[in-house]
Amino acid sequence: MSDTDAQRRQFLKTSLGAAAVAIAPGMLLFETARGNTEAASSKVRWGMLIDTAQCTQGCNDCVTACNKENGLSGGTAPTDSQWIRKIDLKDISSGHELSLPMMCQHCAEPPCVDVCPTAASFKRADGIVLVDRHRCIGCRYCMMACPYKARSFVHEPLTDQKPDVPRGKGTVESCTLCVQRIDKGQQPACAEACKNKAILFGNLNDENSEIAKKVRSVVSVQVRADLQLNTGIRYQGL
Amino acid sequence: MRLLVSLLLCLCIPMTWAADANAPKLDIGKGGHCVRDPQWMRKNHMHLLIHQRDETVRKGIRDDQVSMKNCVDCHASLKDNSVIARDDSFCVGCHRYEAVKIDCFECHSSKRQTALAMKDEK
């Protein structure tokens, strides 16, 4: 690099710095403090692989983490919201027991979306099935259509909701795969909280992702695969 | 002469509007100039919010500048960290005056994030 080049570079650097200092106070700071302005893309298909062998009986860490992250009460009465629940299974003939988390399966062909009369239930481009509460009229068709009993209805007025997770009376809700975290590049709260690493979260469409590799190499099943909903949540060892 | 008087009148009317004695005096919190100027925002904030809510919920575009969370963060009262707690709170003050019902806060948090985070830690 010649001497003149170096001088030019130095000049550009200093003048840019001076310009930034001159403009910085005021609006520019807000302009640069933008969050995620990119829309969810259909190149991504978010999914989970749940390894039932790693999921210990009696451990409720994923449920607790979900309740904390999303501001749920944690109650289990029929009228309480439950986005994720632990279920215990027992094969009667062999006595083999299993415990696993069950939540919205984020179907590629979600029945809840099919039946929603207001298009409040919808599937985001990246495969996450959500309720748009601005449109939800609380008719609960989606709750009846869901084969996984994954959706809850909010019966009572709520207070002190989380800023990232608005929830309110008269609308249906369910596991959102923690969209507010995913959009920031984080993992869903349940996957992060699972100390046995039973929940593997990732992009099913990216063949180099850990989850895609594992789905290729181990046998995993979809719950009620006969319904051909192509769920985003898969179970290993079920 | 008549022309002059009418001109003067024309000038006076907007001034009397501007100095509306009953206009609510709001606790604007931190305030500041973020999105657009206050007069524009008074008229149009709902259009921004309704547009942004669809972008965020349905497409996952989480632009901080016009997000409900960030609006509340700046405009919540410095006394009680809320935009709806008192009669002069930022949102409630105007909405009562204009008799427009807001139901945003039946679902959305009306409190400043940092205040909520501190409460969580305790």
Side-chain angles (χ1 to χ4, degrees):
Chain A
M1 197 164 63
S2 75
D3 229 23
T4 8
D5 273 351
Q7 277 174 6
R8 279 180 184 162
R9 273 164 196 240
Q10 196 51 48
F11 172 73
L12 279 175
K13 269 188 210 159
T14 43
S15 50
L16 268 181
V21 170
I23 309 170
M27 285 178 73
L28 189 75
L29 286 178
F30 286 107
E31 291 293 331
T32 50
R34 288 288 176 90
N36 171 20
T37 51
E38 229 169 85
S41 150
S42 55
K43 285 178 194 145
V44 179
R45 171 86 203 276
W46 294 119
M48 274 183 185
L49 179 65
I50 292 160
D51 186 350
T52 51
Q54 305 301 323
C55 185
T56 39
Q57 237 164 358
C59 171
N60 230 15
D61 287 356
C62 50
V63 182
T64 321
C66 175
N67 292 342
K68 184 162 182 275
E69 169 70 26
N70 298 300
L72 307 178
S73 70
T76 52
T79 48
D80 287 325
S81 280
Q82 256 186 301
W83 291 11
I84 177 170
R85 50 172 75 94
K86 277 292 293 284
I87 56 171
D88 295 321
L89 303 174
K90 186 175 181 183
D91 185 339
I92 300 168
S93 55
S94 67
H96 179 58
E97 282 186 49
L98 275 181
S99 168
L100 48 88
M102 179 63 66
M103 70 290 242
C104 171
Q105 303 285 301
H106 298 279
C107 314
E109 314 285 345
C112 53
V113 174
D114 286 345
V115 298
C116 181
T118 60
S121 280
F122 70 102
K123 192 178 71 157
R124 235 168 67 147
D126 54 6
I128 304 176
V129 178
L130 294 172
V131 181
D132 183 346
R133 293 181 182 83
H134 301 118
R135 297 192 192 189
C136 180
I137 53 169
C139 73
R140 288 165 263 184
Y141 284 1
C142 57
M143 291 174 71
M144 285 182 265
C146 177
Y148 306 105
K149 206 182 174 185
R151 294 205 153 179
S152 311
F153 181 75
V154 183
H155 292 259
E156 304 291 338
L158 301 173
T159 50
D160 284 343
Q161 290 92 325
K162 298 268 170 180
D164 283 316
V165 191
R167 308 170 52 225
K169 180 186 165 186
T171 58
V172 172
E173 56 184 25
S174 66
C175 156
T176 62
L177 270 185
C178 289
V179 264
Q180 73 278 9
R181 294 170 64 96
I182 291 178
D183 287 344
K184 278 191 271 179
Q186 295 169 322
Q187 299 239 325
C190 55
E192 202 174 87
C194 182
K195 54 179 179 285
N196 300 323
K197 306 255 182 286
I199 304 178
L200 178 60
F201 170 82
N203 178 5
L204 290 165
N205 278 355
D206 172 11
E207 56 182 35
N208 295 319
S209 70
E210 204 182 332
I211 185 169
K213 281 182 196 159
K214 205 165 172 195
V215 166
R216 269 205 304 277
S217 61
V218 300
V219 178
S220 64
V221 295
Q222 302 175 27
V223 177
R224 289 300 307 271
D226 55 319
L227 297 172
Q228 300 189 330
L229 303 173
N230 186 7
T231 60
I233 316 286
R234 276 139 211 265
Y235 292 84
Q236 181 189 345
L238 193 64
Chain B
M1 184 63 195
R2 212 177 267 171
L3 186 71
L4 189 69
V5 170
S6 57
L7 260 178
L8 272 176
L9 258 179
C10 284
L11 283 174
C12 285
I13 290 168
M15 280 178 73
T16 49
W17 277 347
D20 188 342
N22 297 322
K25 294 201 173 42
L26 299 180
D27 181 352
I28 61 162
K30 284 185 209 159
H33 184 115
C34 171
V35 183
R36 301 277 177 88
D37 64 275
Q39 198 57 48
W40 191 93
M41 287 304 285
R42 258 169 230 156
K43 267 189 170 169
N44 297 298
H45 62 282
M46 63 298 250
H47 303 304
L48 284 184
L49 285 172
I50 209 163
H51 177 68
Q52 183 63 26
R53 78 174 202 195
D54 289 340
E55 299 273 295
T56 304
V57 176
R58 304 191 81 90
K59 294 188 195 152
I61 300 173
R62 291 173 192 271
D63 187 331
D64 285 346
Q65 205 187 18
V66 278
S67 83
M68 186 84 148
K69 197 172 80 181
N70 276 26
C71 297
V72 170
D73 239 30
C74 270
H75 286 298
S77 161
L78 295 172
K79 286 175 222 153
D80 53 18
N81 292 309
S82 169
V83 285
I84 56 166
R86 285 171 294 120
D87 279 349
D88 66 341
S89 294
F90 189 73
C91 296
V92 162
C94 272
H95 276 258
R96 285 228 177 109
Y97 179 70
E98 298 285 357
V100 181
K101 191 182 170 227
I102 20 169
D103 49 14
C104 306
F105 299 108
E106 285 171 24
C107 291
H108 285 270
S109 169
S110 61
K111 299 219 177 84
R112 180 172 287 126
Q113 249 179 308
T114 42
L116 287 169
M118 275 166 70
K119 204 174 120 198
D120 270 359
E121 274 167 27
K122 279 175 202 166

